[in-house]
Amino acid sequence: MIFRIHLRSTPLRHAFLPIMAVGLLVLYNRPTYWVGIWPETGAAVAVSAFFMSLFVAGSSAWAAARLELMDVRALAAARTNRRLFVEGNLWAAALFWLTAPLLAVAALAAATTAASGVQAGFPSFVGYGILGLLLVWLAGAWGWIVGRLLEPLVAALAAALSWFIIGSLAGEITGATPVSGPPWIALQASALVLRSSAALLLIVTIVALTGRSEDQRSRLKGAAFVAVAALVVAASHVALPVQQPRSPVASPLCVNGHIEYCLWPEHEKYVPLIRQVDAEVGAVPLDLPLPPKIVDYSLSGSTQWIDGNQVELPGEYAPEFDISEGSRWALARGVAKAITRSVLSTCERSAAIEDPAHHWDLLLAWLEVRLAGGGSPDYTTNAPANIQAAWFEARRVSVELNDAQQAAWAVSVIDGHQKYCSGA
Amino acid sequence: MTAGAVALLMAWFGQHEVALPSADGGGPPVPFWRLFAAAAGVLPVLTLVSPLSGLEGASSAQFARCRTAVLVSALVFSGALAVLASLFASESTAAAMTARAVLAWFGLALLSGRVLAWSLCWVLPWAVLAGIVYWGYDSSAAAHRWWEFTARPVADVASLLFVTTTLLAGIAAYSLTPWRLFNLRGLRRRLVHEARRPGQFARRRHGGHRTGVKPPGRSPESRSGAANRKDV
């Protein structure tokens, strides 16, 4: 009953809409490649949660310090002796209104991705959602602590500023603020459980904090309890890394065309893009020896993470492409590179003999622009000027010559490369 | 004291750079002194917080002058400490950038405080700060956007204009006391009445007087409340 009264009377109920607006702006006013990929959707929610948490910390401190700020300390001190009960209800109502915006944003994000019909990777969405929830909860708890302990006048500003610093440092050190959720990264359930339990402990312990109107001894006791809980939270975040490289899945999502393409199952929405690029592979105007299989980034098993270092394993592996944020040019470049390697496999690019005409790069850039469907690249580069000149020349060829002329040009490029093989 | 604490932290910790999430994923790391500058700009406005702010809003000119003096000295104190701290924390251009940013944050805080409540003066600056961190960098142009006043070069005209506008808006918001707003509303109402036909107002307010006859001894102007009360 008293909880419901607090729920309806806490000034934080007015914070619901503004904080949700912040979350929605951050979620949708950005490249929306996350739509249709569950782990990326979760990571997008976590990014929203970081920005919402900046306001959650400030609002929470403002609400906690408000009674004191309004100079009604005597009134606050004269309230019921069931202090923990009253304090608990106040805090629960505050936490409700501070958590609700994140849940609303997460629900909208989930609905957006669910509309695309992809199913693989939903547990990762929940995992990243929990990381976002932890951010908001810890920000709320931090704000409440600052609001209870610090001078009420500066509490909100101090909480907002300090949370900005704590949150960004914690993100750097413990991975608490993920910015993207690619399928080749797996969240560790054990770390999530540990962090959530510690956060819950802090949330419960916070009730022990008393206002500045109470006596010194109970204030110190409360602060000590909360300090221990805060240390537990910090330790839980440092103890286990939450993101770990993921091993290739046993049954990836494979698309058969002129080449076999295999994707992480979470990348199902890229199948039409793969088909478009494969159609362009079929339209290349000369017969090239194609690689039998190309796989998504980190899916070939050619590398392994040992003690935080990426180690190349010996042996033959399928070449990889990286559909960076849904970019057709990135995919085209990956496939073009694999085809170029396959075409010139008998003649590896020599490091010892400098090729003044850059035949390898000419062929690569020509295939790239054809597979990307023409136009200009969506990336910027800092490659050496002579290499960039070769790429530019190949793009010019793809526009100015017809298919038969392009085929003849490509043959001349492949032949020209033979002079610069490492074996020659 | 808090201004001192902010300045100390800024001097000690200001040059630490941290990677923050940005909309197009490629923003450069943000040095902490930019966050501290925001706090240094908001802090002076907190001197306006009072449990009796409603009463103080309707105060005499003498009290208002005193409050403004406190506000300006707090700004000078907090701003000077922040600039000094940024001299310690970073290279010399940071000091001018900090000074520029503190003024802009101060303007935004005044605006926020007037609209929401003085104790919520941090809300608008914080919203702008979040926007600057998240959308302020254009990685296709490899440059900060024109309104990113915390990171653009000191001599940047767009930033200077932005900061000046923000500061002026903040000062305008500060000078719009409840009393002046009240007068403005009265003025507007009076202007509207004069534009109307005489008698029209009385007919609308007193539906019974269909003939348009005014009640004896009461002119339409005297019913218009605000315009009348203003002269008391």
Side-chain angles (χ1 to χ4, degrees), chain A residues 247-264:
Chain A
S247 323
V249 284
S251 51
L253 175 67
C254 290
V255 179
N256 277 305
H258 297 92
I259 306 172
E260 185 187 17
Y261 307 85
C262 290
L263 291 166
W264 291 96

Side-chain angles (χ1 to χ4, degrees), chain A residues 159-363:
Chain A
L161 177 69
S162 53
W163 179 255
F164 211 139
I165 292 166
I166 295 173
S168 45
L169 283 181
E172 217 173 41
I173 299 164
T174 68
T177 58
V179 291
S180 68
W184 49 87
I185 297 284
L187 288 181
Q188 303 301 299
S190 50
L192 285 176
V193 169
L194 185 68
R195 289 176 183 205
S196 310
S197 321
L200 279 173
L201 176 74
L202 178 66
I203 282 175
V204 173
T205 318
I206 245 177
V207 179
L209 276 185
T210 58
R212 292 158 66 86
S213 45
E214 311 279 337
D215 64 290
Q216 185 89 24
R217 195 146 160 252
S218 67
R219 280 177 63 192
L220 276 178
K221 213 165 73 180
F225 270 126
V226 173
V228 170
L231 279 178
V232 171
V233 168
S236 74
H237 273 69
V238 180
L240 288 176
V242 73
Q243 286 185 313
Q244 288 280 6
R246 182 177 168 199
S247 323
V249 284
S251 51
L253 175 67
C254 290
V255 179
N256 277 305
H258 297 92
I259 306 172
E260 185 187 17
Y261 307 85
C262 290
L263 291 166
W264 291 96
E266 287 83 356
H267 274 172
E268 190 186 327
K269 80 158 186 174
Y270 291 138
V271 169
L273 189 67
I274 296 273
R275 292 207 189 281
Q276 282 174 15
V277 169
D278 188 63
E280 296 291 346
V281 170
V284 170
L286 77 163
D287 272 337
L288 294 174
L290 299 175
K293 184 177 175 182
I294 312 181
V295 299
D296 206 344
Y297 182 77
S298 199
L299 198 53
S300 70
S302 67
T303 56
Q304 204 176 2
W305 288 84
I306 301 167
D307 296 334
N309 295 316
Q310 201 174 15
V311 180
E312 292 277 341
L313 299 178
E316 288 286 313
Y317 295 94
E320 292 178 352
F321 55 79
D322 179 7
I323 316 176
S324 161
E325 301 179 359
S327 158
R328 183 167 173 176
W329 274 87
L331 173 61
R333 191 166 182 84
V335 176
K337 206 172 249 176
I339 297 176
T340 308
R341 284 235 173 80
S342 158
V343 171
L344 306 176
S345 61
T346 53
C347 173
E348 282 293 316
R349 180 152 66 154
S350 166
I353 315 165
E354 179 69 20
D355 175 359
H358 301 286
H359 292 99
W360 201 90
D361 288 285
L362 281 173
L363 184 65

Side-chain angles (χ1 to χ4, degrees), chain B:
Chain B
M1 199 184 85
T2 317
V6 167
L8 260 182
L9 277 173
M10 189 167 169
W12 173 54
F13 207 48
Q15 60 200 344
H16 185 87
E17 292 190 338
V18 69
L20 291 172
S22 75
D24 61 2
V30 178
F32 273 137
W33 60 261
R34 287 205 226 148
L35 308 186
F36 288 116
V42 174
L43 214 46
V45 183
L46 286 174
T47 59
L48 300 176
V49 177
S50 151
L52 300 174
S53 58
L55 196 64
E56 287 177 10
S59 65
S60 67
Q62 199 174 6
F63 182 81
R65 269 200 299 277
C66 172
R67 205 176 41 179
T68 308
V70 170
L71 179 68
V72 171
S73 357
L75 172 66
V76 170
F77 183 66
S78 171
L81 281 182
V83 169
L84 211 63
S86 64
L87 276 178
F88 277 102
S90 196
E91 70 271 33
S92 55
T93 50
M97 282 158 87
T98 303
R100 180 181 67 181
V102 166
L103 289 178
W105 293 126
F106 177 69
L108 286 169
L110 282 176
L111 202 61
S112 176
R114 173 60 79 204
V115 174
L116 299 170
W118 292 118
S119 64
L120 287 174
C121 63
W122 55 275
V123 172
L124 180 61
W126 234 242
V128 172
L129 182 61
I132 276 179
V133 165
Y134 194 58
W135 291 292
Y137 190 76
D138 181 4
S139 46
S140 60
H144 292 282
R145 295 184 198 278
W146 66 267
W147 42 263
E148 219 288 26
F149 61 87
T150 65
R152 300 273 298 185
V154 185
D156 187 57
V157 179
S159 289
L160 208 63
L161 277 177
F162 189 87
V163 169
T164 317
T165 316
T166 328
L167 184 62
L168 287 180
I171 292 171
Y174 174 68
S175 52
L176 271 184
T177 55
W179 189 238
R180 287 187 180 136
L181 266 176
F182 186 72
N183 285 353
L184 277 180
R185 250 181 259 137
L187 187 71
R188 208 194 91 221
R189 232 176 272 183
R190 213 158 32 167
L191 288 175
V192 170
H193 293 164
E194 276 166 17
R196 281 186 179 145
R197 272 188 298 121
Q200 187 189 18
F201 187 70
R203 235 192 344 265
R204 203 166 53 101
R205 287 287 286 266
H206 302 275
H209 297 283
R210 297 229 169 142
T211 52
V213 177
K214 295 173 208 163
R218 286 188 158 187
S219 68
E221 280 77 13
S222 72
R223 301 238 118 239
S224 63
N228 199 27
R229 250 178 281 149
K230 190 201 124 220
D231 303 325
V232 173

